Amino acid sequence: MAWRSHGTSNATLIQHLTANALITTPRVASAMSSIDRAHFSPSAPYRDSPQSLGHGATISAPHMHANAAESLLPYLSPGARVLDIGSGSGYLTCVLAALVQPGGSVVGVEHIEALREMGERNAGKGELGSQWVGDGTVRFVRGDGRLGWAEGAPYDAIHVGAAAGGIAGVEGLVGQLKRPGRLFVPVEGDDGMQHIYVIDKDEDGNVTKKKEYGVQYVPLTDAPA
Ligand code: SAH
């Protein structure tokens, strides 16, 4: 039922995503309810579809945000440290922050300064987000996300919101995972098709890679000059 879960408010959007089994966990329903998508999407915030942010970026559809959060959920305990690469609107950065309270933190990495600022400004529109930006629970930093963010590593969970150019390219991110930890990343294959990969590192440091469903994300690129 993707694309059929539009709402007329944040609450009805979450209700419809839940009714259509695009949100399957009360924790993610509650986290998404606590962050108003209208603060992050410049247009049609309660439609279950991606929207343009400018600068070639898009805020992903709500069902994709829900899916990413649910995939990472076993690693999103209170106190967990999370990295959100390609933070764009800042919406998922804040939803992830909600999931790791109390005590957890999220770093959003964005390579376009205007978007880094936009994420921070959007987060600040809500009471929770403005508190989190103020106390450092949520930080928006500028950098090349392909390199992760070494100064906050290791992370319990890493989300990548733009497609890597190949599976070999994500090794550095795997290196920034805790033991145990999980990486959620869209990867473009040799055939030009993108798939979600869920990459787990266990307590002993063993890494397993699971290829999941096909997707369409904007690519991870060099920052525009
Ligand atoms: N999760 C975001 C997705 C935004 S689209 C949201 O739902 O709002 C993908 C984002 O990745 C864009 O903002 C783009 O500027 C950013 N991006 C692309 N390549 C990047 C790189 N190498 N490093 C950091 N960010 C990158």
Side-chain angles (χ1 to χ4, degrees):
M1 283 283 124
W3 323 114
R4 302 241 178 117
S5 300
H6 309 310
T8 52
S9 63
N10 205 56
T12 52
L13 169 66
I14 309 301
Q15 275 164 25
H16 297 164
L17 288 166
T18 303
N20 291 328
L22 295 163
I23 296 177
T24 64
T25 60
R27 283 186 65 205
V28 168
S30 160
M32 288 178 67
S33 299
S34 72
I35 306 296
D36 190 343
R37 222 180 135 82
H39 296 165
F40 300 86
S41 182
S43 53
Y46 306 128
R47 285 187 73 77
D48 188 22
S49 57
Q51 303 291 330
S52 171
L53 296 170
H55 305 275
T58 54
I59 176 170
S60 300
H63 73 270
M64 278 309 306
H65 285 140
N67 192 267
E70 293 200 329
S71 172
L72 292 169
L73 200 56
Y75 298 83
L76 301 175
S77 305
R81 280 170 29 186
V82 183
L83 185 63
D84 181 26
I85 295 171
S87 48
S89 66
Y91 173 76
L92 188 62
T93 321
C94 287
V95 170
L96 293 168
L99 286 163
V100 298
Q101 296 316 301
S105 59
V106 187
V107 178
V109 183
E110 180 50 65
H111 70 160
I112 298 177
E113 176 59 17
L115 289 173
R116 188 207 66 77
E117 274 171 22
M118 178 196 284
E120 191 171 88
R121 194 167 59 246
N122 290 345
K125 292 177 190 169
E127 210 176 301
L128 282 173
S130 108
Q131 183 190 316
W132 292 336
V133 170
D135 68 13
T137 295
V138 170
R139 284 205 300 145
F140 291 93
V141 300
R142 182 178 182 182
D144 184 346
R146 291 170 294 194
L147 307 174
W149 188 254
E151 72 177 67
Y155 301 97
D156 298 272
I158 301 178
H159 171 266
V160 188
I167 193 74
V170 306
E171 283 312 319
L173 300 182
V174 174
Q176 291 184 12
L177 280 178
K178 268 190 199 167
R179 305 178 173 194
R182 176 170 288 178
L183 167 64
F184 177 101
V185 56
V187 176
E188 185 170 320
D190 293 339
D191 57 2
M193 306 293 283
Q194 296 178 3
H195 288 85
I196 293 295
Y197 278 74
V198 176
I199 302 181
D200 283 350
K201 189 190 273 185
D202 71 14
E203 290 80 356
D204 301 321
N206 300 310
V207 174
T208 52
K209 300 182 174 137
K210 218 165 102 200
K211 183 177 177 181
E212 300 205 335
Y213 48 92
V215 288
Q216 264 186 302
Y217 279 69
V218 305
L220 277 170
T221 60
D222 292 333

